[in-house]
Amino acid sequence: MMEPSVLLVDDEVPFVETLVKRLAKRDIRVDFAYSGQEALEKLAASGPTKIDVVILDVKMPGMDGLETLARIKKAHPLIEVIMLTGHATVESAIEGMKNGAFDYLMKPCEFEILIEKLNGATDKKRAHEEKILEARASLISLRRGD
Amino acid sequence: MTPTNGAEQSPARRFSVPTATAVLAMIIIAPLVITGVVNLHQFRKAYRTKVANELSVMIERHSLTVDAFINDRLSDVRVIAREHPIERLRQPEFLRRVLGVMREEYHGAFVDLGLVDSEGIQVAYAGPFNLQMADYSAATWFQDAMASESVISDVFAGLRGSPHFIVATQRKIGNDLYVVKATIDFEAFNALVENLRIGSTGFAFIINREGEFQTSPHFEVALNRPPWVDLLKGRIRSDQISVLEGEDNLGRKTIFTIAPLKQGQWFLCYQQETSDAFAELRRVQEFAAVVLIVVSLAAVFMGYLISRNLAQRLSEAHRDRTVMAHQVIETGRLASIGELAAGIAHEINNPVAIMVQEAGWIDDLLGEGDPCSSENLAEITRAVGQIRTQGDRCKEITYKLLSFARKTDPTIREVALNEIVDEVIGLTSQKTRYANVRIETELDPNLPVIQASPSELQQVLLNLVNNAIDAIERPGGTVTVATGGAGGEVVLEVRDTGKGIPEANLGRIFDPFFTTKPVGQGTGLGLPICYGIVEKMGGRITVESEIEKGTTFTVFIPRVAPEGITNVQSNPEGDGS
């Protein structure tokens, strides 16, 4: 099974840097962005299939987490999003889950739990993709009249 | 809207016990006096009518008695003149006998009896004086008696020099005309009227049309004064009883009663001082006055008790309110801390998250084959440095929170307002970053120090800045904090480019518990607390707002705290050298 490909979005530079190093050490393909706007640009540039999961901080200057989530889901419905939140924004994380986020994590979070959720999100995304492939295949076979 | 008045007096101080007492007493006394006066007036009117009626009745009765007395005497004389032949009447002995019978019968009312011929010569006489052959041809009563059938004369001194009056009637024998006359004792007649005395000042007398006294009045009477002068000039009707009021010759208020006698030739007059006649009325008035005074005193006393009680309650209520206001400020401070804490929890979570990740990264590196490789060591050193940096960041945040969470210290000291502004802006930096709000400052570098409580000022500014940030909606805006000096005041201004306050709410923003924020997010205490604190400092707070343009709160703070809060430096006294 392929390792997940992750995009980490947070405005805290040292946090992003260290987490990127730790994820990379576990053979996870990881890219990062320091704002919602930058994240959208990177997603657009990398194409829909390349990134599996976005780890998204809720509270960011400029475009906040919830708005970024909405835009990601609109442009790339298959990509799973894990919300990262401080205490004060649990409500917005839940709001995010209602809007299609895979899960949310409270800062500071256990690294292992993060990895677990990442894998879960990746599996879900892969499963979705497979279903779509199957559906396409059956559609093709139907057309062939088998 | 400028709720700026810092000198509003407490209700307890505005309430004046003397004024309230006066008002309460007036409320009780005024209706009492009005009713009393009206009742007394009615009573006086009724009483006057009653007195006048009583006087009329009494005088009428007496006038009838007097008339009857005179007419009876005339009838007696007429009987004598008719019944006895003229020969007998010519005999003084006969007359003396008749006179004796009449004197016996009428208790000496008749003084003498005489027969006068047509020449006016008294041809026969019986009586105490020697008036045989006296000549009456010039006397008025004789001329009258010759003209009419019978006559009653006025009182006059006559030939004998003592007052008397004469009753005379004609007797015609053939062509000779005689007049039978009798003298009526003045004293007997006078007693009829003199006995008519009521109270201590009432007395009666009789006058004729010419103003001559027919009886001797008990007190002096001046006939040249009203109402006698009117009576004598015919200005008072002589065919009925009149009751009049006026002043007597000594200027005392007097009530006069006049009744006609002898077909209006004489008048029975009665006069009594009003105060005497109305003695009963005066007693009632005195009693009413005493009652009024007693009730008024009671009313004043009750009013005083009630007002004092009221004042006491008011001041108690004021004290309670002051305590409550203090509690509200404390509550508001805690609420501000709660709001801050939520923001700060997030702010702290960020460095903590970094520290946790760095520690994990060190763990990862240590778990590798060779943790002491120069590359790994450098990475570990960097991670430790990062942990320290983030730790410092946490410390800074907790310090800021602690500096605010200290119990509000109202101690007055010298404060540089600009430093407070910097502190508060530091506290709100996290909030402004996420709300896309830029904070700008326009601080006057030459701002004088002021005397105030730093923690209270901090709270005022924090509340204003927090409100300003909350007022700004996406996509963000600017909050400007400006300071400046003007005269004896420093001015602190917090401007935002937010949504503004609707006109309808502008009047209520300083009311406690008024908030437009969703339930659980606003206490409605921020601005009331600011208002309370600024008012306590002797300053004022004003607000201007325009929808969709923004709101500006301006706080004016006196450079020197008002007396009673600060310790005023005492001037050296008597130091004249």
Side-chain angles (χ1 to χ4, degrees):
Chain A
M1 188 180 172
M2 260 175 76
E3 290 298 332
S5 172
V6 173
L7 177 64
L8 178 59
V9 188
D10 198 329
D11 59 320
E12 289 280 334
V13 176
F15 181 78
V16 171
E17 282 173 351
T18 311
L19 200 57
V20 163
K21 281 179 206 162
R22 295 193 73 189
L23 291 171
K25 206 154 197 75
R26 281 159 181 77
D27 294 329
I28 293 169
R29 286 175 291 142
V30 56
D31 201 349
F32 57 87
Y34 294 127
S35 72
Q37 192 59 44
E38 198 186 342
L40 287 172
E41 282 163 13
K42 288 211 165 170
L43 282 177
S46 66
T49 50
K50 215 181 155 198
I51 298 210
D52 297 317
V53 180
V54 176
I55 299 172
L56 184 61
D57 189 21
V58 172
K59 222 169 183 188
M60 287 186 298
M63 192 191 298
D64 73 2
L66 285 177
E67 197 181 339
T68 313
L69 169 70
R71 292 206 188 182
I72 290 172
K73 278 287 171 186
K74 198 177 170 193
H76 317 284
L78 284 179
I79 290 178
E80 292 299 335
V81 178
I82 296 171
M83 310 293 288
L84 269 184
T85 136
H87 168 73
T89 49
V90 174
E91 287 87 355
S92 47
I94 293 168
E95 187 66 25
M97 289 187 67
K98 281 186 197 159
N99 291 332
F102 174 74
D103 207 342
Y104 76 93
L105 284 170
M106 286 263 280
K107 269 184 181 180
C109 60
E110 290 288 326
F111 190 65
E112 276 64 38
I113 295 172
L114 176 65
I115 298 290
E116 220 172 84
K117 303 258 177 186
L118 257 181
N119 287 333
T122 310
D123 289 349
K124 192 183 172 191
K125 195 222 172 195
R126 299 267 160 86
H128 269 159
E129 280 173 346
E130 268 170 35
K131 272 189 196 163
I132 289 166
L133 283 177
E134 275 171 22
R136 277 187 187 152
S138 61
L139 192 68
I140 290 165
S141 56
L142 272 175
R143 281 206 190 127
R144 277 165 50 189
D146 288 352
Chain B
M1 125 107 241
T2 49
T4 55
N5 189 359
E8 196 188 339
Q9 275 193 314
S10 76
R13 221 166 295 161
R14 259 177 300 167
F15 183 86
S16 145
V17 173
T19 314
T21 306
V23 169
L24 278 175
M26 278 314 293
I27 287 169
I28 300 172
I29 293 170
L32 206 69
V33 167
I34 291 167
T35 339
V37 165
V38 168
N39 277 350
L40 213 58
H41 180 73
Q42 293 296 336
F43 178 75
R44 188 179 306 174
K45 235 164 81 178
Y47 192 79
R48 271 173 191 277
T49 314
K50 174 177 165 280
V51 166
N53 282 342
E54 279 178 2
L55 283 174
S56 301
V57 168
M58 183 194 73
I59 296 304
E60 186 178 23
R61 212 177 56 221
H62 276 86
S63 67
L64 291 176
T65 310
V66 172
D67 260 343
F69 175 84
I70 297 168
N71 287 327
D72 283 354
R73 299 299 80 76
L74 181 60
S75 301
D76 293 337
V77 175
R78 281 163 74 98
V79 166
I80 293 165
R82 295 278 180 287
E83 283 299 309
H84 305 288
I86 192 71
E87 294 75 29
R88 283 250 184 107
L89 291 176
R90 279 174 165 277
Q91 299 167 0
E93 292 80 23
F94 175 76
L95 285 183
R96 209 169 292 125
R97 198 152 49 80
V98 173
L99 177 68
V101 173
M102 288 203 296
R103 280 180 71 94
E104 243 170 63
E105 209 64 29
Y106 301 114
H107 303 291
F110 286 97
V111 178
D112 60 13
L113 201 60
L115 181 71
V116 182
D117 67 12
S118 54
E119 302 300 314
I121 304 300
Q122 187 158 258
V123 289
Y125 172 79
F129 307 102
N130 185 16
L131 293 175
Q132 188 82 26
M133 303 312 283
D135 184 0
Y136 289 116
S137 57
T140 318
W141 65 264
F142 174 73
Q143 285 161 7
D144 287 347
M146 293 302 285
S148 64
E149 197 206 338
S150 52
V151 71
I152 298 162
S153 80
D154 287 343
V155 176
F156 63 101
L159 295 175
R160 56 195 102 159
S162 67
H164 62 278
F165 72 92
I166 284 168
V167 190
T169 187
Q170 290 176 358
R171 174 77 195 266
K172 218 173 181 171
I173 313 282
N175 289 330
D176 292 335
L177 200 60
Y178 293 92
V179 171
V180 179
K181 66 132 208 179
T183 305
I184 305 296
D185 178 31
F186 178 75
E187 293 301 323
F189 178 63
N190 202 24
L192 272 181
V193 178
E194 209 178 20
N195 291 336
L196 185 56
R197 295 207 56 192
I198 298 172
S200 55
T201 59
F203 66 94
F205 58 92
I206 294 174
I207 53 174
N208 67 5
R209 281 197 169 278
E210 283 71 46
E212 287 159 353
F213 287 103
Q214 305 302 303
T215 62
S216 61
H218 200 267
F219 297 106
E220 193 190 337
V221 175
L223 289 177
N224 56 351
R225 293 178 57 85
W228 312 127
V229 67
D230 293 331
L231 175 70
L232 298 178
K233 288 188 175 163
R235 286 202 285 260
I236 289 175
R237 288 185 66 175
S238 55
D239 55 350
Q240 66 179 37
I241 296 172
S242 312
V243 180
L244 305 156
E245 282 188 62
E247 285 179 357
D248 71 358
N249 48 333
L250 297 176
R252 288 175 298 219
K253 282 196 152 190
T254 305
I255 182 158
F256 302 98
T257 314
I258 301 163
L261 284 176
K262 228 176 95 180
Q263 286 85 47
Q265 289 172 359
W266 292 0
F267 296 99
L268 174 60
C269 304
Y270 177 80
Q271 75 174 62
Q272 187 177 13
E273 279 179 32
T274 310
S275 62
D276 188 33
F278 293 149
E280 188 69 28
L281 182 67
R282 212 178 53 213
R283 269 199 296 283
V284 169
Q285 278 171 331
E286 278 166 3
F287 180 71
V290 168
V291 166
L292 191 67
I293 288 168
V294 167
V295 171
S296 300
L297 284 177
V300 169
F301 183 65
M302 286 304 291
Y304 171 72
L305 282 187
I306 291 170
S307 331
R308 206 184 52 174
N309 195 310
L310 216 61
Q312 214 168 340
R313 287 191 188 186
L314 264 178
S315 80
E316 269 168 25
H318 181 65
R319 213 163 35 234
D320 290 350
R321 215 191 65 161
T322 313
V323 170
M324 191 124 110
H326 193 75
Q327 285 168 347
V328 165
I329 290 182
E330 196 59 25
T331 312
R333 195 178 56 81
L334 291 174
S336 314
I337 291 172
E339 211 173 302
L340 265 182
I344 279 169
H346 185 84
E347 207 178 345
I348 277 188
N349 271 341
N350 275 326
V352 168
I354 293 167
M355 284 153 81
V356 169
Q357 289 311 322
E358 293 291 356
W361 176 232
I362 291 169
D363 269 346
D364 289 351
L365 294 175
L366 289 177
E368 278 192 353
D370 181 10
C372 297
S373 73
S374 63
E375 191 191 329
N376 280 356
L377 266 180
E379 192 58 33
I380 288 170
T381 313
R382 188 205 56 79
V384 169
Q386 184 64 257
I387 288 172
R388 188 174 299 121
T389 309
Q390 297 303 323
D392 284 347
R393 202 175 141 193
C394 290
K395 193 182 75 180
E396 205 180 304
I397 295 164
T398 52
Y399 270 31
K400 275 186 210 165
L401 184 59
L402 278 175
S403 76
F404 188 75
R406 278 193 314 257
K407 190 163 168 63
T408 313
D409 177 11
T411 317
I412 308 286
R413 49 175 73 100
E414 300 216 318
V415 181
L417 189 58
N418 289 347
E419 284 174 21
I420 302 246
V421 172
D422 286 336
E423 270 175 47
V424 169
I425 287 173
L427 270 173
T428 54
S429 60
Q430 187 73 7
K431 190 171 179 172
T432 55
R433 206 157 67 87
Y434 291 121
N436 282 333
V437 172
R438 202 168 64 250
I439 293 228
E440 289 179 355
T441 53
E442 296 169 9
L443 303 183
D444 180 356
N446 302 319
L447 197 65
V449 288
I450 57 171
Q451 292 190 329
S453 155
S455 63
E456 286 182 350
L457 268 182
Q458 204 181 31
Q459 180 159 17
V460 170
L461 187 55
L462 183 69
N463 283 344
L464 292 180
V465 170
N466 268 338
N467 280 354
I469 294 169
D470 290 341
I472 292 171
E473 298 170 311
R474 299 193 156 274
T478 310
V479 171
T480 309
V481 181
T483 59
E489 292 177 320
V490 292
V491 180
L492 172 69
E493 204 173 84
V494 179
R495 289 196 293 270
D496 66 57
T497 57
K499 55 182 181 257
I501 302 169
E503 184 102 31
N505 291 344
L506 213 50
R508 302 176 59 195
I509 56 171
F510 291 103
D511 295 345
F513 307 111
F514 175 75
T515 181
T516 55
K517 291 178 183 172
V519 175
Q521 287 187 26
T523 58
L525 289 172
L527 283 177
I529 286 165
C530 289
Y531 184 75
I533 290 175
V534 170
E535 194 182 49
K536 202 179 81 178
M537 284 188 217
R540 58 192 203 281
I541 184 165
T542 63
V543 57
E544 283 169 29
S545 190
E546 203 176 326
I547 295 293
E548 302 305 333
K549 290 274 176 65
T551 306
T552 303
F553 280 90
T554 313
V555 180
F556 300 86
I557 307 163
R559 278 167 60 181
V560 181
E563 272 183 57
I565 297 180
T566 181
N567 296 325
V568 180
Q569 210 176 351
S570 59
N571 291 323
E573 284 179 22
D575 190 6
S577 59

Coordinates of all heavy atoms in Angstrom, one line a residue, chain B residues 19-45:
Chain B
T19 N -37.3 69.6 53.3 CA -38.3 69.8 52.1 C -39.3 68.8 52.1 O -40.5 69.1 52.0 CB -37.5 69.7 50.8 OG1 -36.3 70.5 51.0 CG2 -38.3 70.2 49.7
A20 N -39.0 67.5 52.3 CA -39.9 66.4 52.3 C -40.9 66.6 53.4 O -42.1 66.4 53.3 CB -39.2 65.1 52.4
T21 N -40.4 67.0 54.6 CA -41.3 67.2 55.7 C -42.3 68.3 55.4 O -43.5 68.1 55.6 CB -40.5 67.7 57.0 OG1 -39.5 66.8 57.2 CG2 -41.4 67.8 58.2
A22 N -41.8 69.4 54.8 CA -42.7 70.5 54.4 C -43.8 70.0 53.5 O -45.0 70.3 53.6 CB -41.9 71.7 53.8
V23 N -43.3 69.3 52.5 CA -44.3 68.8 51.4 C -45.3 67.9 52.1 O -46.6 68.1 51.9 CB -43.5 68.1 50.3 CG1 -44.5 67.3 49.4 CG2 -42.7 69.0 49.5
L24 N -44.9 67.0 52.9 CA -45.8 66.0 53.5 C -46.8 66.8 54.4 O -48.0 66.6 54.4 CB -45.1 65.0 54.3 CG -44.5 63.9 53.5 CD1 -43.7 62.9 54.4 CD2 -45.6 63.1 52.9
A25 N -46.2 67.7 55.2 CA -47.1 68.5 56.1 C -48.1 69.3 55.3 O -49.3 69.3 55.7 CB -46.2 69.4 57.0
M26 N -47.7 69.9 54.2 CA -48.6 70.7 53.4 C -49.7 69.8 52.8 O -50.9 70.2 52.8 CB -47.8 71.3 52.2 CG -47.1 72.6 52.5 SD -48.1 73.7 53.4 CE -49.3 74.1 52.2
I27 N -49.3 68.6 52.4 CA -50.4 67.7 51.9 C -51.4 67.4 52.9 O -52.6 67.3 52.6 CB -49.7 66.4 51.4 CG1 -48.9 66.6 50.2 CG2 -50.7 65.3 51.2 CD1 -48.0 65.5 49.8
I28 N -51.0 67.3 54.2 CA -52.0 67.1 55.2 C -52.8 68.4 55.6 O -54.0 68.4 55.7 CB -51.4 66.5 56.4 CG1 -50.7 65.2 56.1 CG2 -52.4 66.2 57.5 CD1 -49.8 64.6 57.1
I29 N -52.0 69.4 55.8 CA -52.6 70.7 56.3 C -53.5 71.4 55.3 O -54.5 71.9 55.7 CB -51.5 71.6 56.8 CG1 -50.7 71.0 58.0 CG2 -52.0 72.9 57.3 CD1 -49.5 71.6 58.4
A30 N -53.0 71.5 54.0 CA -53.7 72.3 53.0 C -55.2 71.9 53.0 O -56.1 72.8 53.1 CB -53.0 72.2 51.7
P31 N -55.6 70.6 52.8 CA -57.0 70.3 52.7 C -57.7 70.6 54.0 O -58.9 71.1 54.0 CB -57.0 68.8 52.4 CG -55.7 68.3 52.4 CD -54.7 69.5 52.6
L32 N -57.0 70.5 55.1 CA -57.6 70.7 56.4 C -58.0 72.2 56.5 O -59.1 72.6 56.9 CB -56.5 70.4 57.5 CG -57.1 70.0 58.8 CD1 -57.8 68.7 58.8 CD2 -55.9 70.0 59.8
V33 N -57.0 73.1 56.1 CA -57.2 74.5 56.2 C -58.4 74.9 55.3 O -59.3 75.7 55.6 CB -55.9 75.3 55.8 CG1 -56.2 76.8 55.6 CG2 -54.9 75.1 56.9
I34 N -58.4 74.4 54.0 CA -59.4 74.7 53.1 C -60.8 74.3 53.6 O -61.7 75.2 53.7 CB -59.1 74.0 51.7 CG1 -57.9 74.7 51.1 CG2 -60.3 74.2 50.8 CD1 -57.3 73.9 49.9
T35 N -60.9 73.1 54.1 CA -62.2 72.6 54.6 C -62.6 73.5 55.8 O -63.7 73.9 55.9 CB -62.1 71.2 55.1 OG1 -61.0 70.6 54.5 CG2 -63.4 70.4 54.9
G36 N -61.6 73.8 56.7 CA -61.8 74.5 57.9 C -62.4 75.9 57.5 O -63.4 76.4 58.1
V37 N -61.7 76.6 56.6 CA -62.1 77.9 56.2 C -63.5 78.0 55.6 O -64.3 78.8 56.0 CB -61.0 78.5 55.2 CG1 -61.6 79.8 54.5 CG2 -59.7 78.9 56.0
V38 N -63.7 77.0 54.7 CA -65.0 76.9 54.0 C -66.1 76.7 55.1 O -67.1 77.4 55.1 CB -65.1 75.8 53.0 CG1 -66.5 75.6 52.5 CG2 -64.2 76.2 51.8
N39 N -65.9 75.7 56.0 CA -66.9 75.4 57.0 C -67.1 76.6 57.9 O -68.3 76.9 58.2 CB -66.4 74.2 57.8 CG -66.7 72.9 57.2 OD1 -67.4 72.9 56.2 ND2 -66.1 71.9 57.7
L40 N -66.0 77.2 58.3 CA -66.1 78.4 59.2 C -66.9 79.5 58.6 O -67.7 80.1 59.2 CB -64.7 78.8 59.6 CG -64.6 79.4 61.0 CD1 -65.0 78.3 62.0 CD2 -63.1 79.8 61.2
H41 N -66.6 79.7 57.2 CA -67.3 80.8 56.5 C -68.8 80.5 56.5 O -69.6 81.4 56.7 CB -66.8 80.8 55.1 CG -67.4 81.9 54.3 ND1 -67.2 83.2 54.4 CD2 -68.3 81.8 53.3 CE1 -67.9 83.9 53.6 NE2 -68.6 83.1 52.9
Q42 N -69.2 79.2 56.2 CA -70.6 78.8 56.1 C -71.2 79.0 57.5 O -72.3 79.6 57.6 CB -70.7 77.4 55.7 CG -70.3 77.1 54.3 CD -71.2 77.8 53.3 OE1 -72.3 78.1 53.6 NE2 -70.6 78.1 52.1
F43 N -70.5 78.6 58.5 CA -71.0 78.6 59.9 C -71.2 80.1 60.3 O -72.2 80.5 60.8 CB -70.0 78.0 60.8 CG -70.4 78.0 62.3 CD1 -71.4 77.2 62.7 CD2 -69.8 78.9 63.1 CE1 -71.8 77.3 64.0 CE2 -70.2 79.0 64.5 CZ -71.2 78.2 64.9
R44 N -70.2 81.0 59.9 CA -70.3 82.4 60.2 C -71.6 83.0 59.6 O -72.3 83.7 60.2 CB -69.1 83.1 59.8 CG -69.0 84.5 60.3 CD -67.8 85.2 59.8 NE -66.6 84.4 60.2 CZ -65.4 84.7 59.8 NH1 -65.2 85.8 59.1 NH2 -64.4 84.0 60.2
K45 N -71.8 82.6 58.3 CA -72.9 83.2 57.6 C -74.2 82.8 58.3 O -75.1 83.6 58.6 CB -72.9 82.7 56.1 CG -73.0 83.8 55.1 CD -72.6 83.3 53.7 CE -73.7 82.6 53.0 NZ -73.3 82.2 51.7

